[in-house]
Amino acid sequence: QVQLAESGGGSAQFGGSLRLTCTGSGIIHWPYCMAWFRQVPGKEREGIAAFNYDGATMYHDSVKGRFTISQDSAKNTLSLEMNNLNFEDTAMYYCAAPTKGYGFGTASGDCGSNRYWGQGIQVTVSS
C-alpha cells in the first residue's frame, strides 16, 4: 500500500524560501516518476517538479531556477527546495507517485498518467 505524507509547508515572505518534504512508503520504483504538484482554487492541479522514468529532473517553466527537487533513497523522502518565492507560488502542494508506468531507470519508458497522492500541504506567500 502506497502512502505519502507531506510536511514543511506554511507561510513565507515574498522572496523567501521554504522546503517541503514527502515521506513515502510502499513505492517500488523509488524515486522514478516521483513528483510535486500544486493546485490553487479554481484551477487544475499542475506538475511543477519531478523525476522522470530515467531519473532526470524536470521542472515547470514557472519554477525553473527557483525550485529544486531532490530525494533520499535511504529515507524514502522526496524534497522540494523553494527559493525566491512569489505570490503565484501560493497553493496547495501535493507529493505524487506513479500507479503504473514502465521502463523505470531506463532510457525508454513512461510514467503514466495516474498517481497516488499525499494529503497536500498549504504554502502561502505574503508580503
Side-chain angles (χ1 to χ4, degrees), residues 7-124:
S7 61
S11 297
Q13 286 193 323
F14 183 92
S17 300
L18 277 176
R19 182 181 180 90
L20 303 182
T21 298
C22 171
T23 301
S25 61
I27 300 167
I28 298 174
H29 299 290
W30 186 278
Y32 302 107
C33 301
M34 292 298 298
W36 287 98
F37 285 69
R38 69 185 180 188
Q39 187 172 26
V40 297
K43 292 190 176 181
E44 290 190 0
R45 196 170 296 185
E46 65 176 4
I48 57 170
F51 285 98
N52 205 0
Y53 58 85
D54 59 359
T57 55
M58 303 185 300
Y59 296 94
H60 191 277
D61 285 347
S62 64
V63 306
K64 276 182 184 176
R66 300 188 300 120
F67 290 12
T68 303
I69 189 172
S70 62
Q71 61 86 24
D72 185 332
S73 296
K75 299 178 180 179
N76 270 22
T77 56
L78 184 75
S79 296
L80 186 67
E81 185 72 31
M82 305 185 293
N83 297 315
N84 195 19
L85 288 162
N86 58 51
F87 300 129
E88 287 69 37
D89 296 319
T90 295
M92 187 72 79
Y93 285 70
Y94 297 89
C95 175
T99 60
K100 292 184 179 179
Y102 63 88
F104 298 114
T106 73
S108 179
D110 193 289
C111 289
S113 58
N114 293 323
R115 299 285 184 273
Y116 294 107
W117 300 99
Q119 80 281 1
I121 195 162
Q122 179 68 36
V123 170
T124 302

